[in-house]
Amino acid sequence: MMENACPENEHPCRTRKVQATWTWRDHLGAWKMRWGFGRNRYRVQPGLYAMGLPSPEDPVLVTANYKLTFDVLRRSLAGQNLWILVLNTHGINVWCAAGKKTFGTDELVKRIRKHHLGQVVTHKTIIFPQLGAPGISAHEVQKQTEFRVTYGPVRASDIQAFLANEMKANEQMRTVTFTLRERLAVVPVELVQALRYFLPIAIPVVLLSLLGGINLSIATALAMLPFLGAILTGTILFPILLPVIPLRSFAAGGWLLGILYAGGLALFIHAGGWLAATLLLILPPLVSFIALNFTGATTFTSLSGVEFELKRAVPMMVASAVLGVIAYTGQLILGG
Amino acid sequence: MAHEYLHNVVTLKLDQDKCIGCGRCVEVCPHRVFRLNDRKADIVQHQKCMECGACALNCPVEVISVRSGVGCAYAVLKGKSQGTGPDCGCCG
Ligand code: SF4
Ligand code: SF4
């Protein structure tokens, strides 16, 4: 990206040029984002960008200043001449920023004015990502700026087809999906997040048990493994199996998966009654909790539904875990 | 495979009599909850609504109501513990 030097016309001058191709830096950055490293600093400068050699008749696309969002958009626009208006969402993606209204009416109106869009282009249409619609009110934008908002497709990969089709999106372009590939794409971040809670507890406990000798330490580390298994079940298996789990509730589906996991584990290690009970009481609520947290990464769960689930599931999780601790104590006292 | 979440909890409502048939709700809804019939919007897949609020915000005559917010357990728990209402920390 570099400043565009065009002396004769002031306004497009302030636009930056941008290309469709990714450098190795862009690839590295995208990989880091997928694994959840340095998420808060991955931004591009807000403003008006020129893709190719746009004329005043060419379309204007709006996007957020989360660099990965911007990069995916520009990569999907190879060969196009158009304008990209990047709003300042403080490095947050379109969907989440729309929910917070930072990708919203006020910021859009402000940017249209600040970058003199009315003088840069001769038409009165801006293409706004459909997933940003929860942030803006199209008629309000039109009232304040005269620009008419047309909602573009859900996925950047459909934009070329959308532009070629006189800016009309078909049903498929308008519909959010949550395919296996899309679910797998969010797994790394979920996994890293869960381990961020687990490792700071597990590692000190194992190290501390070294005081009791190396054998105790090994035993403690082994005792942690079922928890690690529960985390992997919740963060990897649950998202993969999501469409075939026969329960719509995430908490219930996660619990079911947790029972299968804990039951399988108990059989595998030939656990006695007390130990089996402990595993079946402690591990499923953990998987259930992680599954319930996966609602944040999905594209179809509602606030009312999540609240409904939390209200019912959390007390059951706590009760089950408490019973599990009782069963564990019983095992220590009575053996078995 | 179409995913579906809990039924009967969704707060989406439409006052069809006052609808002017502009089609915005049909355009913005990522789950195709609305359809336009005889220049009136119709809720055809109520159970699929994820309460994103896009339809309500974009309806020029404000005849759609929905309690909008993020369907994210972490956000709800965080909001509860801090007394601020659902606030998504998952995505930055
Ligand atoms: S709130 Fe969102 S998901 Fe629900 S009907 Fe409106 S646009 Fe569709
Ligand atoms: S956006 Fe409002 S007025 Fe327009 S079709 Fe939908 S309900 Fe009717």
Side-chain angles (χ1 to χ4, degrees):
Chain A
M1 276 170 260
M2 53 176 200
E3 291 294 327
N4 181 4
C6 49
E8 69 277 13
N9 183 340
E10 208 217 329
H11 300 307
C13 234
R14 288 205 219 105
T15 66
R16 294 176 190 79
K17 283 194 171 183
V18 63
Q19 288 173 341
T21 43
W22 280 23
T23 63
W24 66 269
R25 237 176 240 279
D26 299 327
H27 284 283
L28 178 68
W31 181 85
K32 274 166 60 182
M33 289 308 111
R34 278 187 53 162
W35 286 89
F37 301 124
R39 288 209 136 197
N40 298 327
R41 296 179 300 277
Y42 207 54
R43 307 173 178 195
V44 291
Q45 194 73 24
L48 188 62
Y49 288 77
M51 174 104 204
L53 288 169
S55 76
E57 282 98 61
D58 283 318
V60 181
L61 298 183
V62 182
T63 192
N65 82 325
Y66 177 42
K67 187 168 179 322
L68 188 56
T69 304
F70 181 72
D71 283 356
V72 168
L73 176 68
R74 67 186 169 89
R75 187 172 62 178
S76 71
L77 291 171
Q80 294 282 345
N81 296 311
L82 44 77
W83 307 96
I84 302 176
L85 185 63
V86 178
L87 305 192
N88 187 4
T89 60
H90 311 285
I92 292 171
N93 68 52
V94 164
W95 171 251
C96 292
K100 294 180 206 292
K101 312 286 189 249
T102 47
F103 196 62
T105 307
D106 293 345
E107 169 68 6
L108 177 59
V109 168
K110 194 181 113 190
R111 290 279 158 198
I112 289 174
R113 294 199 178 127
K114 184 168 180 188
H115 302 287
H116 306 278
L117 204 60
Q119 287 154 39
V120 175
V121 294
T122 48
H123 60 80
K124 285 278 175 248
T125 304
I126 41 176
I127 302 169
F128 202 81
Q130 189 190 331
L131 287 188
I136 70 157
S137 174
H139 50 277
E140 196 50 44
V141 172
Q142 189 163 14
K143 213 189 300 169
Q144 293 185 33
T145 66
E146 294 181 359
F147 276 91
R148 196 193 130 76
V149 173
T150 294
Y151 287 104
V154 165
R155 283 164 295 273
S157 54
D158 285 328
I159 290 181
Q160 298 260 13
F162 171 81
L163 293 172
N165 190 31
E166 296 171 345
M167 298 194 201
K168 285 195 186 65
N170 59 29
E171 282 294 298
Q172 172 261 328
M173 289 182 198
R174 287 248 172 271
T175 311
V176 154
T177 53
F178 203 38
T179 60
L180 179 60
R181 213 181 141 157
E182 288 164 326
R183 296 197 301 280
L184 287 177
V186 288
V187 161
V189 165
E190 297 290 312
L191 183 61
V192 168
Q193 244 163 26
L195 290 179
R196 255 180 213 159
Y197 288 103
F198 176 68
L199 293 178
I201 300 174
I203 292 174
V205 169
V206 172
L207 288 181
L208 213 63
S209 61
L210 267 176
L211 291 175
I214 185 77
N215 283 338
L216 180 65
S217 185
I218 291 173
T220 313
L222 285 176
M224 293 287 171
L225 286 181
F227 291 100
L228 189 62
I231 288 174
L232 297 179
T233 306
T235 54
I236 302 178
L237 218 51
F238 182 79
I240 292 175
L241 296 178
L242 187 58
V244 296
I245 292 173
L247 300 162
R248 283 195 299 266
S249 151
F250 278 47
W255 206 297
L256 179 68
L257 203 58
I259 289 176
L260 294 178
Y261 160 66
L265 184 67
L267 286 179
F268 182 72
I269 62 172
H270 302 292
W274 284 107
L275 183 58
T278 306
L279 294 174
L280 280 164
L281 285 167
I282 288 186
L283 298 176
L286 183 59
V287 178
S288 172
F289 185 73
I290 296 171
L292 194 45
N293 259 304
F294 191 63
T295 49
T298 67
T299 49
F300 62 95
T301 51
S302 62
L303 173 62
S304 297
V306 168
E307 284 184 346
F308 182 91
E309 287 212 65
L310 275 172
K311 217 181 290 163
R312 280 155 190 78
V314 170
M316 289 203 274
M317 289 171 189
V318 173
S320 184
V322 168
L323 287 176
V325 172
I326 292 174
Y328 181 69
T329 320
Q331 175 212 353
L332 289 186
I333 295 171
L334 303 170
Chain B
M1 177 82 65
H3 298 272
E4 240 168 66
Y5 196 42
L6 306 186
H7 295 186
N8 306 322
V9 288
V10 168
T11 52
L12 178 73
K13 285 192 187 71
L14 162 70
D15 183 353
Q16 207 179 31
D17 293 341
K18 299 197 190 114
C19 166
I20 55 169
C22 71
R24 267 297 186 195
C25 53
V26 182
E27 185 183 4
V28 296
C29 178
H31 290 294
R32 319 316 290 147
V33 168
F34 296 93
R35 196 184 298 151
L36 220 49
N37 281 331
D38 282 333
R39 306 216 37 84
K40 287 278 182 199
D42 221 347
I43 294 178
V44 288
Q45 303 193 82
H46 192 265
Q47 78 284 2
K48 283 207 170 178
C49 173
M50 68 185 297
E51 298 184 327
C52 70
C55 52
L57 198 59
N58 281 278
C59 172
V61 286
E62 298 179 7
V63 298
I64 302 171
S65 74
V66 60
R67 195 178 66 115
S68 71
V70 280
C72 165
Y74 178 80
V76 174
L77 286 175
K78 189 174 157 218
K80 277 223 175 82
S81 69
Q82 300 177 347
T84 51
D87 173 23
C88 191
C90 335
C91 40

Short mmCIF file of all heavy atoms in Angstrom, two decimals, chain A residues 217-263:
data_model
loop_
_atom_site.label_atom_id
_atom_site.label_comp_id
_atom_site.label_asym_id
_atom_site.label_seq_id
_atom_site.Cartn_x
_atom_site.Cartn_y
_atom_site.Cartn_z
N SER A 217 4.03 -37.02 41.05
CA SER A 217 3.92 -36.04 39.97
C SER A 217 3.41 -36.70 38.69
O SER A 217 2.55 -36.16 37.99
CB SER A 217 5.29 -35.40 39.73
OG SER A 217 5.17 -34.39 38.79
N ILE A 218 3.93 -37.87 38.39
CA ILE A 218 3.46 -38.60 37.21
C ILE A 218 1.98 -38.97 37.37
O ILE A 218 1.17 -38.81 36.46
CB ILE A 218 4.32 -39.86 36.98
CG1 ILE A 218 5.73 -39.44 36.54
CG2 ILE A 218 3.69 -40.76 35.90
CD1 ILE A 218 6.71 -40.58 36.46
N ALA A 219 1.63 -39.41 38.57
CA ALA A 219 0.23 -39.78 38.83
C ALA A 219 -0.68 -38.57 38.66
O ALA A 219 -1.78 -38.66 38.11
CB ALA A 219 0.10 -40.35 40.24
N THR A 220 -0.21 -37.40 39.12
CA THR A 220 -1.01 -36.18 39.00
C THR A 220 -1.19 -35.81 37.54
O THR A 220 -2.29 -35.46 37.09
CB THR A 220 -0.34 -35.00 39.74
OG1 THR A 220 0.07 -35.46 41.03
CG2 THR A 220 -1.29 -33.84 39.89
N ALA A 221 -0.09 -35.90 36.80
CA ALA A 221 -0.16 -35.57 35.37
C ALA A 221 -1.16 -36.51 34.68
O ALA A 221 -1.97 -36.07 33.86
CB ALA A 221 1.21 -35.70 34.73
N LEU A 222 -1.12 -37.78 35.04
CA LEU A 222 -2.07 -38.74 34.45
C LEU A 222 -3.50 -38.39 34.83
O LEU A 222 -4.42 -38.50 34.02
CB LEU A 222 -1.74 -40.17 34.90
CG LEU A 222 -0.52 -40.81 34.22
CD1 LEU A 222 -0.23 -42.18 34.82
CD2 LEU A 222 -0.76 -40.94 32.71
N ALA A 223 -3.67 -37.93 36.09
CA ALA A 223 -5.01 -37.58 36.55
C ALA A 223 -5.56 -36.37 35.80
O ALA A 223 -6.77 -36.15 35.73
CB ALA A 223 -4.98 -37.31 38.05
N MET A 224 -4.67 -35.57 35.22
CA MET A 224 -5.10 -34.40 34.46
C MET A 224 -5.58 -34.78 33.06
O MET A 224 -6.34 -34.04 32.43
CB MET A 224 -3.94 -33.40 34.30
CG MET A 224 -3.49 -32.76 35.58
SD MET A 224 -4.71 -31.58 36.11
CE MET A 224 -4.09 -31.18 37.73
N LEU A 225 -5.09 -35.91 32.57
CA LEU A 225 -5.39 -36.27 31.19
C LEU A 225 -6.89 -36.36 30.86
O LEU A 225 -7.30 -35.91 29.79
CB LEU A 225 -4.69 -37.58 30.81
CG LEU A 225 -3.17 -37.45 30.60
CD1 LEU A 225 -2.57 -38.79 30.22
CD2 LEU A 225 -2.87 -36.41 29.53
N PRO A 226 -7.71 -36.94 31.75
CA PRO A 226 -9.15 -36.97 31.43
C PRO A 226 -9.73 -35.58 31.20
O PRO A 226 -10.61 -35.41 30.34
CB PRO A 226 -9.77 -37.61 32.67
CG PRO A 226 -8.69 -38.44 33.25
CD PRO A 226 -7.42 -37.69 32.98
N PHE A 227 -9.20 -34.58 31.92
CA PHE A 227 -9.68 -33.21 31.72
C PHE A 227 -9.26 -32.68 30.35
O PHE A 227 -10.03 -32.05 29.65
CB PHE A 227 -9.14 -32.28 32.83
CG PHE A 227 -9.73 -32.57 34.17
CD1 PHE A 227 -9.04 -33.31 35.11
CD2 PHE A 227 -11.00 -32.11 34.49
CE1 PHE A 227 -9.59 -33.59 36.35
CE2 PHE A 227 -11.57 -32.38 35.72
CZ PHE A 227 -10.86 -33.13 36.65
N LEU A 228 -8.01 -32.98 30.00
CA LEU A 228 -7.52 -32.55 28.70
C LEU A 228 -8.38 -33.19 27.61
O LEU A 228 -8.77 -32.54 26.63
CB LEU A 228 -6.06 -32.97 28.53
CG LEU A 228 -5.34 -32.42 27.31
CD1 LEU A 228 -5.29 -30.90 27.37
CD2 LEU A 228 -3.93 -32.99 27.21
N GLY A 229 -8.71 -34.47 27.82
CA GLY A 229 -9.57 -35.17 26.86
C GLY A 229 -10.93 -34.50 26.75
O GLY A 229 -11.50 -34.37 25.65
N ALA A 230 -11.46 -34.05 27.89
CA ALA A 230 -12.77 -33.38 27.88
C ALA A 230 -12.68 -32.07 27.10
O ALA A 230 -13.59 -31.71 26.34
CB ALA A 230 -13.24 -33.13 29.31
N ILE A 231 -11.56 -31.38 27.26
CA ILE A 231 -11.39 -30.11 26.53
C ILE A 231 -11.32 -30.36 25.03
O ILE A 231 -11.96 -29.67 24.24
CB ILE A 231 -10.11 -29.38 27.03
CG1 ILE A 231 -10.37 -28.84 28.45
CG2 ILE A 231 -9.74 -28.25 26.10
CD1 ILE A 231 -9.15 -28.23 29.10
N LEU A 232 -10.57 -31.40 24.65
CA LEU A 232 -10.48 -31.71 23.22
C LEU A 232 -11.84 -32.16 22.68
O LEU A 232 -12.23 -31.82 21.56
CB LEU A 232 -9.43 -32.81 22.98
CG LEU A 232 -8.00 -32.43 23.36
CD1 LEU A 232 -7.05 -33.59 23.10
CD2 LEU A 232 -7.52 -31.20 22.61
N THR A 233 -12.59 -32.92 23.48
CA THR A 233 -13.92 -33.35 23.06
C THR A 233 -14.82 -32.14 22.81
O THR A 233 -15.54 -32.07 21.81
CB THR A 233 -14.57 -34.25 24.14
OG1 THR A 233 -13.67 -35.31 24.43
CG2 THR A 233 -15.90 -34.81 23.67
N GLY A 234 -14.75 -31.18 23.74
CA GLY A 234 -15.61 -30.01 23.64
C GLY A 234 -15.21 -29.05 22.53
O GLY A 234 -16.05 -28.48 21.85
N THR A 235 -13.90 -28.88 22.34
CA THR A 235 -13.47 -27.85 21.38
C THR A 235 -13.28 -28.39 19.97
O THR A 235 -13.35 -27.61 19.02
CB THR A 235 -12.13 -27.20 21.82
OG1 THR A 235 -11.17 -28.22 22.03
CG2 THR A 235 -12.30 -26.38 23.07
N ILE A 236 -13.03 -29.69 19.81
CA ILE A 236 -12.79 -30.22 18.47
C ILE A 236 -13.92 -31.13 18.00
O ILE A 236 -14.52 -30.92 16.95
CB ILE A 236 -11.43 -30.97 18.40
CG1 ILE A 236 -10.29 -30.01 18.80
CG2 ILE A 236 -11.20 -31.51 17.00
CD1 ILE A 236 -8.93 -30.65 18.83
N LEU A 237 -14.23 -32.14 18.85
CA LEU A 237 -15.23 -33.12 18.44
C LEU A 237 -16.63 -32.49 18.34
O LEU A 237 -17.37 -32.75 17.39
CB LEU A 237 -15.23 -34.27 19.46
CG LEU A 237 -15.42 -35.67 18.89
CD1 LEU A 237 -14.46 -35.93 17.76
CD2 LEU A 237 -15.23 -36.70 20.01
N PHE A 238 -16.97 -31.68 19.33
CA PHE A 238 -18.31 -31.08 19.32
C PHE A 238 -18.57 -30.25 18.07
O PHE A 238 -19.59 -30.46 17.40
CB PHE A 238 -18.54 -30.26 20.60
CG PHE A 238 -19.92 -29.68 20.68
CD1 PHE A 238 -21.00 -30.45 21.06
CD2 PHE A 238 -20.14 -28.35 20.33
CE1 PHE A 238 -22.28 -29.92 21.11
CE2 PHE A 238 -21.41 -27.80 20.37
CZ PHE A 238 -22.49 -28.59 20.76
N PRO A 239 -17.67 -29.33 17.71
CA PRO A 239 -17.92 -28.56 16.47
C PRO A 239 -18.02 -29.44 15.23
O PRO A 239 -18.85 -29.19 14.36
CB PRO A 239 -16.70 -27.63 16.38
CG PRO A 239 -16.20 -27.50 17.76
CD PRO A 239 -16.49 -28.80 18.43
N ILE A 240 -17.18 -30.48 15.16
CA ILE A 240 -17.22 -31.35 13.98
C ILE A 240 -18.57 -32.08 13.90
O ILE A 240 -19.19 -32.15 12.86
CB ILE A 240 -16.06 -32.37 14.01
CG1 ILE A 240 -14.73 -31.64 13.82
CG2 ILE A 240 -16.23 -33.44 12.94
CD1 ILE A 240 -13.51 -32.53 13.95
N LEU A 241 -19.01 -32.58 15.06
CA LEU A 241 -20.22 -33.41 15.07
C LEU A 241 -21.51 -32.61 15.16
O LEU A 241 -22.60 -33.17 15.09
CB LEU A 241 -20.16 -34.39 16.26
CG LEU A 241 -19.04 -35.43 16.20
CD1 LEU A 241 -19.05 -36.29 17.45
CD2 LEU A 241 -19.17 -36.31 14.96
N LEU A 242 -21.38 -31.29 15.32
CA LEU A 242 -22.55 -30.44 15.57
C LEU A 242 -23.81 -30.78 14.75
O LEU A 242 -24.89 -30.93 15.32
CB LEU A 242 -22.15 -28.98 15.39
CG LEU A 242 -23.17 -27.90 15.77
CD1 LEU A 242 -23.58 -28.03 17.23
CD2 LEU A 242 -22.58 -26.51 15.55
N PRO A 243 -23.72 -30.93 13.44
CA PRO A 243 -24.95 -31.17 12.69
C PRO A 243 -25.59 -32.54 12.94
O PRO A 243 -26.76 -32.72 12.66
CB PRO A 243 -24.51 -31.07 11.21
CG PRO A 243 -23.09 -30.68 11.22
CD PRO A 243 -22.54 -30.87 12.58
N VAL A 244 -24.81 -33.50 13.44
CA VAL A 244 -25.40 -34.83 13.63
C VAL A 244 -25.78 -35.10 15.09
O VAL A 244 -26.39 -36.12 15.40
CB VAL A 244 -24.46 -35.96 13.13
CG1 VAL A 244 -24.26 -35.84 11.63
CG2 VAL A 244 -23.13 -35.94 13.85
N ILE A 245 -25.43 -34.18 15.98
CA ILE A 245 -25.86 -34.33 17.37
C ILE A 245 -27.37 -34.08 17.41
O ILE A 245 -27.84 -33.03 16.97
CB ILE A 245 -25.10 -33.35 18.29
CG1 ILE A 245 -23.62 -33.76 18.35
CG2 ILE A 245 -25.71 -33.34 19.68
CD1 ILE A 245 -22.74 -32.79 19.10
N PRO A 246 -28.14 -35.04 17.91
CA PRO A 246 -29.59 -34.96 17.75
C PRO A 246 -30.30 -34.01 18.71
O PRO A 246 -31.51 -34.08 18.87
CB PRO A 246 -30.04 -36.41 17.99
CG PRO A 246 -29.01 -36.97 18.89
CD PRO A 246 -27.72 -36.27 18.58
N LEU A 247 -29.57 -33.12 19.37
CA LEU A 247 -30.19 -32.19 20.30
C LEU A 247 -29.87 -30.77 19.88
O LEU A 247 -28.74 -30.47 19.54
CB LEU A 247 -29.65 -32.43 21.72
CG LEU A 247 -29.90 -33.83 22.29
CD1 LEU A 247 -28.98 -34.09 23.46
CD2 LEU A 247 -31.35 -33.96 22.71
N ARG A 248 -30.88 -29.89 19.90
CA ARG A 248 -30.64 -28.52 19.47
C ARG A 248 -29.94 -27.70 20.54
O ARG A 248 -29.23 -26.75 20.24
CB ARG A 248 -31.96 -27.86 19.06
CG ARG A 248 -32.45 -28.29 17.70
CD ARG A 248 -33.53 -27.36 17.20
NE ARG A 248 -34.67 -27.37 18.09
CZ ARG A 248 -35.74 -28.14 17.92
NH1 ARG A 248 -35.82 -28.94 16.90
NH2 ARG A 248 -36.72 -28.10 18.78
N SER A 249 -30.17 -28.08 21.80
CA SER A 249 -29.49 -27.37 22.89
C SER A 249 -28.01 -27.72 22.89
O SER A 249 -27.64 -28.89 22.85
CB SER A 249 -30.13 -27.76 24.22
OG SER A 249 -29.19 -27.68 25.26
N PHE A 250 -27.16 -26.70 22.94
CA PHE A 250 -25.72 -26.94 22.95
C PHE A 250 -25.29 -27.60 24.25
O PHE A 250 -24.43 -28.47 24.27
CB PHE A 250 -24.94 -25.63 22.76
CG PHE A 250 -24.83 -25.21 21.32
CD1 PHE A 250 -25.95 -25.22 20.50
CD2 PHE A 250 -23.62 -24.83 20.79
CE1 PHE A 250 -25.85 -24.84 19.17
CE2 PHE A 250 -23.51 -24.44 19.46
CZ PHE A 250 -24.62 -24.45 18.65
N ALA A 251 -25.90 -27.16 25.37
CA ALA A 251 -25.54 -27.71 26.66
C ALA A 251 -25.88 -29.21 26.70
O ALA A 251 -25.07 -30.04 27.12
CB ALA A 251 -26.27 -26.97 27.77
N ALA A 252 -27.07 -29.54 26.23
CA ALA A 252 -27.50 -30.94 26.24
C ALA A 252 -26.66 -31.77 25.28
O ALA A 252 -26.23 -32.89 25.61
CB ALA A 252 -28.98 -31.04 25.89
N GLY A 253 -26.41 -31.23 24.11
CA GLY A 253 -25.60 -31.96 23.13
C GLY A 253 -24.19 -32.20 23.65
O GLY A 253 -23.63 -33.29 23.49
N GLY A 254 -23.62 -31.17 24.29
CA GLY A 254 -22.28 -31.30 24.85
C GLY A 254 -22.27 -32.33 25.98
O GLY A 254 -21.34 -33.12 26.12
N TRP A 255 -23.34 -32.31 26.78
CA TRP A 255 -23.44 -33.25 27.89
C TRP A 255 -23.47 -34.68 27.36
O TRP A 255 -22.77 -35.57 27.85
CB TRP A 255 -24.70 -32.97 28.72
CG TRP A 255 -24.58 -33.42 30.15
CD1 TRP A 255 -24.41 -34.69 30.60
CD2 TRP A 255 -24.61 -32.60 31.32
NE1 TRP A 255 -24.32 -34.72 31.95
CE2 TRP A 255 -24.44 -33.45 32.44
CE3 TRP A 255 -24.75 -31.22 31.54
CZ2 TRP A 255 -24.43 -32.97 33.75
CZ3 TRP A 255 -24.74 -30.75 32.84
CH2 TRP A 255 -24.58 -31.61 33.94
N LEU A 256 -24.27 -34.87 26.34
CA LEU A 256 -24.39 -36.20 25.73
C LEU A 256 -23.02 -36.68 25.22
O LEU A 256 -22.61 -37.81 25.49
CB LEU A 256 -25.40 -36.14 24.56
CG LEU A 256 -25.61 -37.43 23.79
CD1 LEU A 256 -26.32 -38.46 24.67
CD2 LEU A 256 -26.43 -37.17 22.53
N LEU A 257 -22.34 -35.81 24.54
CA LEU A 257 -21.02 -36.15 24.01
C LEU A 257 -20.07 -36.45 25.18
O LEU A 257 -19.25 -37.38 25.11
CB LEU A 257 -20.49 -34.99 23.18
CG LEU A 257 -19.44 -35.30 22.13
CD1 LEU A 257 -19.95 -36.32 21.14
CD2 LEU A 257 -19.02 -34.02 21.42
N GLY A 258 -20.21 -35.67 26.25
CA GLY A 258 -19.38 -35.87 27.44
C GLY A 258 -19.63 -37.22 28.09
O GLY A 258 -18.69 -37.87 28.57
N ILE A 259 -20.89 -37.65 28.11
CA ILE A 259 -21.22 -38.96 28.68
C ILE A 259 -20.57 -40.07 27.85
O ILE A 259 -19.99 -41.00 28.38
CB ILE A 259 -22.75 -39.15 28.77
CG1 ILE A 259 -23.32 -38.23 29.87
CG2 ILE A 259 -23.10 -40.61 29.05
CD1 ILE A 259 -24.82 -38.26 29.98
N LEU A 260 -20.65 -39.91 26.53
CA LEU A 260 -20.04 -40.91 25.65
C LEU A 260 -18.53 -40.95 25.89
O LEU A 260 -17.93 -42.03 25.98
CB LEU A 260 -20.32 -40.59 24.18
CG LEU A 260 -21.79 -40.71 23.76
CD1 LEU A 260 -21.96 -40.31 22.30
CD2 LEU A 260 -22.32 -42.13 23.99
N TYR A 261 -17.94 -39.78 26.01
CA TYR A 261 -16.49 -39.71 26.23
C TYR A 261 -16.13 -40.31 27.59
O TYR A 261 -15.26 -41.18 27.68
CB TYR A 261 -16.01 -38.25 26.13
CG TYR A 261 -14.69 -37.99 26.78
CD1 TYR A 261 -13.53 -38.59 26.29
CD2 TYR A 261 -14.60 -37.19 27.91
CE1 TYR A 261 -12.31 -38.38 26.91
CE2 TYR A 261 -13.39 -36.97 28.54
CZ TYR A 261 -12.24 -37.57 28.05
OH TYR A 261 -11.05 -37.36 28.67
N ALA A 262 -16.81 -39.87 28.64
CA ALA A 262 -16.47 -40.34 29.99
C ALA A 262 -16.75 -41.84 30.12
O ALA A 262 -15.96 -42.58 30.72
CB ALA A 262 -17.27 -39.55 31.03
N GLY A 263 -17.86 -42.28 29.54
CA GLY A 263 -18.20 -43.71 29.58
C GLY A 263 -17.14 -44.53 28.85
O GLY A 263 -16.68 -45.57 29.34
#
